[in-house]
Amino acid sequence: AEAAKETLGGNPAKAEAAREATRQALAQAMDAAKEAAAKAAETPAGKPDATAQAKAGEKAGEAQQLTQEAQAAAGENAPQAAEASKQAGEALAQAKQESGEAQKNIEGGKTMDAAPAQQKAGEALGKASEQIAKAMEAAIKTPADLEKVAKERGVTVVESPLFLRDEPIGDLGAAPDVA
C-alpha cells in the first residue's frame, strides 16, 4: 500500500523503498519458514522432542509475522504478492497451532497423538513455502527486481545458454523439471 501511495504521490524513491521493504520481508519469511521446516525434520521419527517442537512453532510464528509485514508492504502495488503473503501467513499460523498441539502431546507423554499434528504442521509449512515463493514471483517484475532479490538471498543471477529439452542446462546440469 505504501509503494502505491508513494507512486501515485509522485515520489518514486519512496515507492521503491517500500517495494524493497516488501522484498526483504518476503526473503526473511522464506528463510524463517525453511528454518522451521528444517528444525522439525531434525528430530528422528519415533523420538519426539518437545523443545524442538516448540522451536518449530516459534519459527513458524516469526515467519507469520514477516509475511504480515510483507502483505502490508505489498498492498495495492502488488496485489498478487499481498494475497500470496496473506495465504502464507495463514498457513504459518496453522503450522504454529499444530506445532503447539504436538508439543503439548509430547510433553504429556502422548507421543503417538503428536504425530498427526506434526504431519499437519509439516503440510502447512510446505503450503507456506509455496505461497512465499508465489509472493516473491509476483514481486519480481523486472530484471532489476530479480537482481535485488538474488542479492538479498546471497545468490547470483546467471543467464543460461540455449539448450534443448533433453540437454543439460549450463551449470544447472540435467533438470527435466526446468526444461
Side-chain angles (χ1 to χ4, degrees):
E2 187 66 26
K5 178 179 146 189
E6 294 300 338
T7 299
L8 293 173
N11 194 334
K14 284 188 177 179
E16 180 56 32
R19 283 190 290 276
E20 180 66 23
T22 299
R23 285 189 288 271
Q24 288 179 355
L26 286 170
Q28 289 174 339
M30 179 69 93
D31 290 342
K34 285 180 180 178
E35 186 177 337
K39 288 284 184 194
E42 285 178 5
T43 302
K47 294 183 181 180
D49 181 344
T51 304
Q53 194 67 53
K55 190 73 168 171
E58 178 185 319
K59 291 297 181 184
E62 290 173 13
Q64 178 188 10
Q65 178 62 37
L66 291 167
T67 59
Q68 289 170 346
E69 292 171 14
Q71 178 186 355
E76 296 171 15
N77 188 50
Q80 293 167 330
E83 180 59 27
S85 293
K86 177 183 174 193
Q87 290 180 16
E90 291 169 356
L92 288 163
Q94 180 185 359
K96 182 179 178 182
Q97 179 182 352
E98 294 294 345
S99 184
E101 186 65 31
Q103 180 186 359
K104 286 179 193 174
N105 286 326
I106 293 167
E107 289 172 344
K110 301 176 184 176
T111 56
M112 295 301 288
D113 293 341
Q118 288 175 319
Q119 177 70 27
K120 288 178 184 175
E123 290 169 2
L125 287 170
K127 180 179 179 184
S129 179
E130 291 172 12
Q131 291 303 319
I132 291 169
K134 284 182 183 179
M136 289 181 76
E137 181 181 343
I140 298 171
K141 298 294 183 193
T142 67
D145 293 340
L146 179 61
E147 290 288 340
K148 285 181 183 179
V149 171
K151 185 177 180 181
E152 291 166 6
R153 308 288 294 171
V155 296
T156 305
V157 177
V158 295
E159 189 171 330
S160 70
L162 294 176
F163 59 90
L164 296 175
R165 182 174 289 274
D166 60 345
E167 290 182 330
I169 304 170
D171 292 336
L172 186 59
D177 291 343
V178 176

